Amino acid sequence: MPLLVNRRAALAAFAAGSLLASMGAVKAAPAEIRVDWATYNPVSIVLKDKKFLEEELAKDGIAVRWVQSAGSNKALEFLNAGSLDFGSTAGAAALIGRINGNPIKSVYVYSRPEWTALVTRKDSGIAKVADLKGKSVAVTRGTDPHIFLIRALAANGLTDKDVRFVLLQHADGRLALTRGDVDAWAGLDPIMASAEIDDGAVLFYRNPAANSWGVLNVREAFAQENPEIVRRVLAAYEKARLWSVEHPKELAELLEAATKLPPAVIARQLERTELTHGPIGAAQKTTLVEAGKALQQAGVVAAEVDVPGTVEVLIDPAYLKPGL
């Protein structure tokens, strides 16, 4: 009789274990998560320095690996390759990535910046967007400055065929402008602020409304497999964002140390960076639909793409509710 009871218990345990396995309930947590930091994402620098995320995940033995992103294009490339789990980009860049098949979800707002403008030298003779016809412009493909440039050209009756794009990473674009290798540059803070203050560069076209949100993206597969970890990462991000709002002087000092840029440059960057958001939702959807439709009109996004539908798939507010 005892043998029969033990056999029944063993069979029941085996069945239960098989059911749990089939439901994914026994999937082990990752030993490490990979998160980016970027000079265009001040909150990421605070999160990295204060180790809020390491403290949160240490109880489960999960390590955090930090990877620097030099631009939205690099963050999207790393996410698509699986070498990042969480990556910082502009919202419009994330939308273009999703349209192009990058399986990401935008789950958090780290800033509402005016981080891009069209920049030139004082002696270039360029004073407005129309003056770019026949000129060369340094730009980083797949980033908010790239999208900003395309929208600015379209709004002034021009296309990318009317100018010569010189494809460079942001820092190299600033250098090319300073050396006179290009006539203009689609800039990005804090490098753009440095060009203003140190080089006397001129922001000849600004449009804050055409700057898209700074969003944190997660690989869709990672989020599906580890929803609770995503929630914990965003909670740590919120802690860092709130710390940033409450400690502006210390935030500036951390940015100065991370970027090796002087206080005046960081002050200019932060003047143009609003950190009073966090949860993602309707406002970001509206901005991205407008950006996507503008890019469709400019011929950059195919006419058959369902922009509103793609935005709905991209933005996922489920992991961080307002007020939490």
Side-chain angles (χ1 to χ4, degrees):
M1 190 68 174
L3 180 61
L4 181 59
V5 172
N6 288 343
R7 185 181 178 194
R8 285 175 178 169
L11 288 171
F14 176 80
S18 298
L19 177 60
L20 288 172
S22 68
M23 295 171 61
V26 297
K27 181 176 177 59
E32 173 186 85
I33 66 168
R34 296 150 303 175
V35 184
D36 82 339
W37 68 276
T39 58
Y40 53 86
N41 176 359
V43 179
S44 71
I45 293 172
V46 171
L47 185 63
K48 180 174 180 289
D49 180 81
K50 297 301 177 184
K51 300 190 182 303
F52 295 147
L53 188 52
E54 285 86 345
E55 290 171 4
E56 168 60 29
L57 298 178
K59 65 190 77 169
D60 298 309
I62 302 172
V64 179
R65 182 192 300 180
W66 291 96
V67 179
Q68 184 176 9
S69 291
S72 292
N73 63 325
K74 290 300 180 183
L76 289 167
E77 178 184 316
F78 295 155
L79 286 163
N80 202 30
S83 53
L84 269 181
D85 300 311
F86 296 86
S88 314
T89 72
L95 173 60
I96 298 302
R98 184 81 202 197
I99 288 170
N100 290 333
N102 196 333
I104 57 170
K105 291 282 189 179
S106 297
V107 292
Y108 184 78
V109 177
Y110 59 80
S111 71
R112 185 180 192 179
E114 186 197 357
W115 53 15
T116 186
L118 301 186
V119 188
T120 192
R121 297 180 306 279
K122 287 182 178 179
D123 60 356
S124 71
I126 296 172
K128 56 187 183 298
V129 176
D131 295 335
L132 290 176
K133 188 168 184 177
K135 304 293 187 180
S136 58
V137 184
V139 63
T140 308
R141 186 185 294 279
T143 65
D144 221 30
H146 179 211
I147 296 164
F148 183 87
L149 172 59
I150 289 170
R151 293 182 69 180
L153 292 172
N156 287 271
L158 301 175
T159 72
D160 56 354
K161 295 180 175 57
D162 294 307
V163 301
R164 181 169 65 89
F165 283 10
V166 179
L167 302 180
L168 297 167
Q169 280 297 136
H170 300 297
D172 296 328
R174 180 261 184 103
L175 183 60
L177 178 67
T178 303
R179 290 190 309 214
D181 296 340
V182 295
D183 301 301
W185 167 49
L188 180 73
D189 271 340
I191 304 167
M192 182 170 72
S194 181
E196 277 186 280
I197 292 171
D198 297 337
D199 306 341
V202 177
L203 276 56
F204 69 92
Y205 177 73
R206 296 174 67 175
N207 182 0
N211 285 245
S212 66
W213 303 80
V215 301
L216 184 70
N217 308 286
V218 63
R219 289 190 300 109
E220 189 169 20
F222 182 93
Q224 289 173 347
E225 294 170 359
N226 306 283
E228 186 57 34
I229 291 178
V230 176
R231 282 187 277 272
R232 292 165 69 184
V233 169
L234 298 196
Y237 242 100
E238 266 294 87
K239 187 174 180 179
R241 185 187 66 80
L242 293 172
W243 186 96
S244 302
V245 172
E246 294 165 1
H247 301 84
K249 182 175 180 293
E250 294 90 337
L251 170 64
E253 290 170 352
L254 285 176
L255 280 171
E256 291 162 24
T259 63
K260 307 297 190 291
L261 293 171
V265 171
I266 296 304
R268 183 69 57 87
Q269 176 189 5
L270 291 176
E271 284 172 11
R272 299 193 280 244
T273 305
E274 183 186 335
L275 300 175
T276 55
H277 297 270
I280 199 166
Q284 292 72 43
K285 290 179 182 180
T286 297
T287 298
L288 296 194
V289 168
E290 290 173 355
K293 288 184 175 179
L295 292 172
Q296 269 185 326
Q297 292 170 1
V300 176
V301 172
E304 62 269 19
V305 171
D306 177 6
V307 170
T310 306
V311 170
E312 282 294 328
V313 171
L314 172 68
I315 292 181
D316 191 344
Y319 299 99
L320 181 69
K321 300 298 185 182
L324 297 181

